Amino acid sequence: MSPQESPRPNADATDGGAGVPLGRTDPALRRLLFRAFPSLDAVIARHGGVQAARAALVRTARSRVKVRAVRAMLLMGELDRREGDIEAARSWLRRASDTGPALIRQAAAYRLGLFEEGQGRVEAAEGLYRELAAEGHAAVAPLARNALGRFAESAGDDFAALDEWMAAAESGHPEAAPWAFLYMARLMNRRGERRSALNLWDRAACLEERGCAAVALFEAGRALYAWKDHRQARKRFTRCIDLGVPPTVFRAQAYLGQVEYLLGDPVAARERLMSAVESGDGFARAHAQLTLGHMDSDQGRVVEASRWHERAAESEDLTLAAIAVTRLAVSARERAAYGEARRWYSRLLDLGDAEQRNIARFNLAFVDAQEGDRRSAREGYARLVETGDGGLRANAMFHLGQMAVVDGEPEEGRRLLERYLKLDVSEHRPSVLYWLGDAAEQLGESDEAVAFYDRAIATGDALAAQKAMFGHARMANANGEFASARTWLSRILDFDGGAHPELASRVHAALDDLDGDAGHE
């Protein structure tokens, strides 16, 4: 799978948010805040059901032991949020942020900020974070600064984001500092500062926060893979796997399998990829299935490749599913299995992003043309000429112009092909010159047709040049210049590599006709 196809996997669920502990200075705080904090599911299981758990948590929320009370309030907030009672959840979190000593209140206020952020109430969350960053305890303020940095980056203020993350990193906070380095690495990578990004990822990976270190190593490996530094990518993915932090470990297995294949070790690659397939992580499984399909396709095992791609096409990750469907469609199209290709491209319309949907529409028009439904094909290309952009729009314009010329509409074809020549694209330029010559020939504009045919020949493109020579021969024959026609046809046969398969039979038939005419003379 090419780097361009590689999707952007979600980072670990902890990712500097609710899964990050607030510090190690106070054992009671560690029991209250995040890693040692019991999950709601564990509480529900211990009490034998939701209602019993709710009753127990309400009782505990009245405890005189503030750490226990606040912990119960936070769990009640999570329970109400899960059951859809957002206002009740918010009320519990607010109570927690007003209970107990300052440090516990601030820790609960940070959880309230995360809640508001998750509910899309950015201003409310930002207000809480700003207060904590300015006046909060050293165990809480750096985490709030990380959140403020994320907000600043989302608002397009990279420098403000870096200021917040630098402050968090310099605090030495055992959990906030690694994530601050990670956030800065992402920003620098987005800005194209590769060396700085890699240094920051490596710094995050060297600190004690294992979850952050795993994500940092994975992201660094993925960046190095995209930069085609496969050996360094292998080192980062291997270190990530050694940490054993799920789900990142499984995703690193999937990427490492790709890297091993590119480095020429298909046995190691398949071993890594099968580990990812069997991991149970949906992203890692589908990503590995795509690579296994690619490997089988490279080795000519079309049926096996299709099976892997069909499995990946069922992924809940729509990006990966769209890649798999695209590959299945391309494979079917290349095998001229146009009904199968139509089915996959139609499915891509429901899966892909805007660009992929336009690619699907283009290829559905292509399939229509191959199956002889020229009206539907032209309608499909015409829609893309009006609504598409970039190379896809230009491609549709070329095909639509070509079809108009073939269908005996030379003026419409010329209009579209001349529009194509004004675009900053060169992919079909030799063929466009040929078809403009064909349009001019149909319109009786012999001098212009000759000029376009000569320009097509001058491009050196084999197929366009041979078609243009055939056009010259056709015009010469129509004018009774049989010797000239024979010369042009012979030039096609003398072409380096011989006549193009698309033209060979027509050239020989035309020469036979000329020989027959000469015999009658």
Side-chain angles (χ1 to χ4, degrees):
M1 180 160 51
S2 69
Q4 291 82 354
E5 290 177 335
S6 301
R8 297 185 298 275
N10 296 324
D12 287 342
T14 55
D15 204 17
V20 177
L22 286 185
R24 300 175 179 175
T25 58
D26 185 336
L29 208 67
R30 286 186 59 72
R31 287 195 299 273
L32 169 65
L33 299 164
F34 305 122
R35 277 192 206 225
F37 194 78
S39 73
L40 179 60
D41 289 333
V43 173
I44 292 171
R46 187 168 71 244
H47 289 283
V50 173
Q51 295 307 317
R54 179 183 289 276
L57 289 171
V58 169
R59 288 194 301 271
T60 306
R62 295 194 290 266
S63 171
R64 292 184 179 181
V65 181
K66 298 305 180 183
V67 168
R68 295 184 61 199
V70 171
R71 183 166 59 186
M73 292 175 193
L74 295 176
L75 283 168
M76 279 299 300
E78 171 60 18
L79 178 58
D80 283 332
R81 185 200 64 79
R82 186 181 294 186
E83 294 187 344
D85 193 343
I86 301 303
E87 287 306 317
R90 183 175 287 115
S91 177
W92 280 111
L93 292 171
R94 284 175 175 165
R95 280 183 60 185
S97 67
D98 291 333
T99 301
L103 181 52
I104 292 177
R105 291 199 310 273
Q106 289 173 17
Y110 177 70
R111 287 294 290 263
L112 177 59
L114 293 174
F115 172 84
E116 299 290 19
E117 188 177 348
Q119 295 300 314
R121 299 183 69 221
V122 175
E123 290 185 5
E126 187 173 3
L128 288 164
Y129 293 145
R130 288 204 179 281
E131 184 176 346
L132 292 171
E135 303 176 5
H137 189 279
V140 183
L143 290 168
R145 288 196 174 278
N146 272 347
L148 290 172
R150 294 197 307 271
F151 285 165
E153 184 184 26
S154 296
D157 192 341
D158 288 353
F159 294 107
L162 287 171
D163 284 343
E164 297 290 355
W165 292 329
M166 284 295 295
E170 290 170 355
S171 72
H173 190 291
E175 285 79 31
W179 288 101
F181 284 122
L182 183 77
Y183 293 141
M184 287 190 284
R186 291 173 177 171
L187 186 150
M188 298 308 285
N189 184 48
R190 175 172 58 77
R191 293 175 65 91
E193 300 287 346
R194 293 184 178 183
R195 181 175 295 180
S196 294
L198 195 58
N199 287 338
L200 289 162
W201 273 315
D202 285 344
R203 291 192 67 177
C206 289
L207 299 176
E208 295 180 10
E209 171 52 46
R210 287 172 61 85
C212 181
V215 174
L217 287 166
F218 175 75
E219 291 186 2
R222 200 173 45 172
L224 287 160
Y225 171 83
W227 302 336
K228 302 190 184 305
D229 190 344
H230 297 137
R231 295 190 183 281
Q232 287 299 319
R234 179 166 60 183
K235 290 181 180 179
R236 300 310 195 284
F237 288 135
T238 301
R239 287 175 58 195
C240 178
I241 291 167
D242 289 342
L243 287 176
V245 178
T248 316
V249 58
F250 309 129
R251 298 171 183 188
Q253 291 273 18
Y255 270 86
L256 183 55
Q258 277 184 277
V259 170
E260 296 287 16
Y261 182 59
L262 290 170
L263 290 174
D265 192 344
V267 175
R270 195 169 291 272
E271 181 181 342
R272 294 290 189 183
L273 293 166
M274 291 306 300
S275 295
V277 168
E278 296 164 2
S279 69
D281 179 71
F283 173 86
R285 180 174 58 249
H287 193 95
Q289 287 166 340
L290 284 170
T291 305
L292 286 163
H294 179 69
M295 289 171 62
D296 283 336
S297 179
D298 278 355
Q299 294 162 17
R301 297 196 292 265
V302 177
V303 174
E304 291 84 351
S306 293
R307 287 174 183 163
W308 285 119
H309 289 145
E310 285 173 3
R311 294 174 193 173
E314 301 304 319
S315 172
E316 294 181 0
D317 187 304
L318 296 185
T319 301
L320 291 174
I323 293 169
V325 168
T326 299
R327 291 187 181 181
L328 288 162
V330 169
S331 174
R333 191 190 66 192
E334 290 176 347
R335 291 183 279 109
Y338 295 122
E340 182 183 344
R342 181 187 301 281
R343 177 166 59 88
W344 289 118
Y345 282 124
S346 296
R347 186 171 171 188
L348 187 59
L349 292 175
D350 298 325
L351 284 176
D353 56 23
E355 182 180 0
Q356 288 170 319
R357 289 195 297 274
N358 276 338
I359 290 172
R361 293 185 183 102
F362 176 88
N363 282 285
L364 284 168
F366 175 84
V367 168
D368 285 333
Q370 296 304 306
E371 292 185 327
D373 188 351
R374 297 183 69 80
R375 178 178 177 180
S376 294
R378 289 182 64 172
E379 288 175 353
Y381 287 138
R383 280 193 296 272
L384 286 171
V385 168
E386 297 305 319
T387 63
D389 55 19
L392 195 64
R393 176 172 176 264
N395 216 351
M397 192 179 297
F398 163 71
H399 282 279
L400 187 60
Q402 174 190 14
M403 292 185 76
V405 175
V406 172
D407 292 345
E409 301 173 26
E411 291 183 347
E412 173 65 9
R414 178 158 64 183
R415 182 184 68 82
L416 288 161
L417 296 168
E418 286 177 344
R419 282 179 63 188
Y420 179 95
L421 287 181
K422 294 176 182 177
L423 301 176
D424 187 21
V425 289
S426 58
E427 180 183 2
H428 296 294
R429 189 176 184 86
S431 293
V432 167
L433 294 171
Y434 163 73
W435 287 109
L436 282 168
D438 194 313
E441 183 182 348
Q442 289 186 41
L443 291 167
E445 300 170 358
S446 301
D447 291 344
E448 190 167 354
V450 166
F452 276 119
Y453 287 151
D454 286 344
R455 288 174 64 186
I457 293 169
T459 66
D461 179 87
L463 180 57
Q466 291 183 31
K467 283 185 172 182
M469 291 176 185
F470 195 85
H472 271 302
R474 185 174 56 232
M475 290 179 66
N477 188 54
N479 293 330
E481 300 169 359
F482 303 123
S484 176
R486 184 184 300 278
T487 299
W488 283 112
L489 294 171
S490 298
R491 284 186 62 183
I492 296 174
L493 296 178
D494 293 339
F495 213 87
D496 187 21
H500 192 280
E502 186 177 325
L503 282 174
S505 61
R506 294 168 62 192
V507 170
H508 288 295
L511 284 169
D512 288 343
D513 287 344
L514 286 171
D515 290 339
D517 291 340
H520 290 307
E521 291 175 1

